[in-house]
Amino acid sequence: MRRCNDCANSVVDSDAVCTACRLAEWKDQQEQAEAIRQRAYALESNRAAYLGRKKAIRDSIKAGVITAVSVLLFLMLVSATKDAMRYEWETKPAMLKANGVK
């Protein structure tokens, strides 16, 4: 009777390792493969979270710039409207009156 090289149990046919040792080796390989898959999944999750945060920061900066530009344009509109009303109510009538137009 042949014996296993690892645990000295009996082996079937001409194998050097018994079924229990072969199963343990297979399970170990499966656990290592699962650990590699879990690590890859964790890295991908971290990468996705990082890219999500980066995009959120970029979008918030873009929204802030758009808001600031919009506020500046609104203030320019208010200022231009004020100047236009002053021209229509004060300067233009005085100019027309000076030119003799009623």
Side-chain angles (χ1 to χ4, degrees):
M1 174 189 300
R2 295 186 47 128
R3 296 285 178 180
C4 177
N5 291 341
D6 294 338
C7 66
N9 279 343
S10 61
V11 286
V12 179
D13 295 329
S14 62
D15 289 342
V17 182
C18 69
T19 306
C21 290
R22 194 174 301 279
L23 184 62
E25 181 182 346
W26 178 80
K27 283 183 179 180
D28 185 48
Q29 289 173 353
Q30 293 299 316
E31 289 171 359
Q32 289 175 3
E34 181 64 23
I36 290 170
R37 281 193 296 274
Q38 290 293 333
R39 184 171 183 265
Y41 176 74
L43 288 174
E44 183 61 31
S45 296
N46 287 340
R47 183 176 183 275
Y50 168 75
L51 292 177
R53 284 190 304 271
K54 187 176 177 182
K55 184 180 183 308
I57 290 171
R58 186 175 46 238
D59 290 347
S60 65
I61 290 172
K62 189 186 298 183
V65 168
I66 289 172
T67 302
V69 168
S70 298
V71 167
L72 288 175
L73 287 173
F74 178 74
L75 291 175
M76 289 173 56
L77 174 70
V78 169
S79 175
T81 303
K82 181 180 171 186
D83 292 341
M85 289 301 181
R86 184 180 309 129
Y87 174 77
E88 288 291 328
W89 290 339
E90 297 172 7
T91 309
K92 188 176 178 182
M95 207 169 48
L96 291 174
K97 194 174 196 180
N99 289 335
V101 178
K102 290 185 178 183

